[in-house]
Every structure is written in structure tokens, then in C-alpha cells.
Amino acid sequence: MDNEPTLGFLLHDVARLLRKRFEQRAKESGLTRTQWQTLAYLSRNEGIQQGCLADMLEVEPITLGRVVDKLEQRGLIERRAHPTDRRVWLLYLREGARPLIEQMHVVGDATRHDALEGLSAEKRRCLVEALSMMKSNLVAACAQTNDEEALNG
């Protein structure tokens, strides 16, 4: 029996350990991983609808609603009414979030440094290329499956 980890298990373990190490470094901020993720995605998508952000984060809208409530209470983000649809909220960072975003970048850089220690620049480039290709392949395969289901269903 082969004791080598499968690709899926290895990727899962690496992702889990990256999150764990990030959380260890970021714990003094008082933010949860989900709150960090919300701020990170929002920093790249300001003005996004709350429901769209929930889709991006792959969480239920009600779950994101609670996260947004807490971040809003801390003065880190704000909800603004949509100009034409009063049922929709648009999300924006507040100035108090900007230093935390910078801190998150520093923590992320340090975490990546921990993970990539001992890999040459060439191996790092190859790793990123391979993972990017895998992601593209899987995105295409998932889209093809969705298209086939739409035609058959």
C-alpha cells in the first residue's frame, strides 16, 4: 500500500495549515478568520452587494450578515443603501479598516514566507504556474458540467 498522500489530501492539508499559521500570527487583532476574509474580499470589491460578497466567500447570506454586523459595530465597514433598490445593501470599508488591511498583508507575507521556506524562486514560480493551471482546468470542468446539466435538465 502506498503511503504517499494524494494530491487532494496534500492540498487540503497545506491550505488548512496556511490558515492556521495566518490565524496564529493575526490573533492579536481580535478578528476571526471569516472577518479577515470579509475585509480582504471587500478591500478588492468595495461597493459590492452583500449577497454577491456572500457568494464570493461561499457562505450563506445570513452568515455574512452576522459577520458584517460585527464588523460594522467595530467601525470597520459600512452598509450603504443601493441607489435604486432599497432591498440591497452595498458594502464599503471605513478608514479604520485600512490599517488592519495593511497588517493583514504583512501577516500574509510572513505566512507565505513560512510556507515557501527552502523553495527556490524557480520552484515557487513552477508551483504557482501548476496550481494556476489546475484551477483553470477545474473551473472549466465545473462550467462544462453546469452547461451539460442545464441542457439536460
Side-chain angles (χ1 to χ4, degrees):
M1 179 169 192
D2 190 5
N3 286 333
E4 291 292 313
T6 65
L7 178 62
F9 280 111
L10 187 58
L11 288 171
H12 176 78
D13 284 346
V14 169
R16 178 183 54 79
L17 289 166
L18 279 168
R19 286 190 303 271
K20 180 178 181 175
R21 186 65 179 138
F22 182 91
E23 289 169 355
Q24 287 174 336
R25 289 179 172 277
K27 70 181 172 188
E28 75 269 357
S29 72
L31 296 173
T32 67
R33 181 171 43 90
T34 303
Q35 290 169 335
W36 274 116
Q37 281 182 302
T38 301
L39 290 174
Y41 276 80
L42 186 54
S43 73
R44 293 186 296 260
N45 299 282
E46 283 201 75
I48 192 171
Q49 292 181 18
Q50 192 168 312
C52 293
L53 183 58
D55 289 343
M56 291 174 80
L57 291 168
E58 296 181 351
V59 298
E60 292 297 319
I62 194 151
T63 301
L64 180 63
R66 287 190 292 268
V67 172
V68 168
D69 287 345
K70 288 181 180 166
L71 291 171
E72 194 173 37
Q73 288 168 1
R74 287 187 65 166
L76 300 176
I77 65 173
E78 67 179 304
R79 289 179 172 108
R80 296 182 193 165
H82 189 279
T84 59
D85 187 345
R86 60 187 182 155
R87 299 168 296 169
V88 174
W89 292 101
L90 305 177
L91 301 176
Y92 292 87
L93 291 176
R94 300 201 53 184
E95 280 308 307
R98 307 247 181 244
L100 285 173
I101 299 293
E102 289 303 314
Q103 178 187 355
M104 182 172 37
H105 288 297
V106 170
V107 169
D109 289 345
T111 302
R112 277 185 296 282
H113 180 271
D114 289 346
L116 297 171
E117 180 109 17
L119 289 178
S120 68
E122 176 63 17
K123 285 187 178 182
R124 290 176 187 203
R125 187 189 60 74
C126 288
L127 174 63
V128 170
E129 282 181 11
L131 290 172
S132 295
M133 178 61 73
M134 290 172 62
K135 179 181 176 181
S136 294
N137 292 343
L138 290 168
V139 165
C142 289
Q144 181 180 359
T145 298
N146 288 340
D147 291 345
E148 289 169 358
E149 288 173 355
L151 288 174
N152 295 328

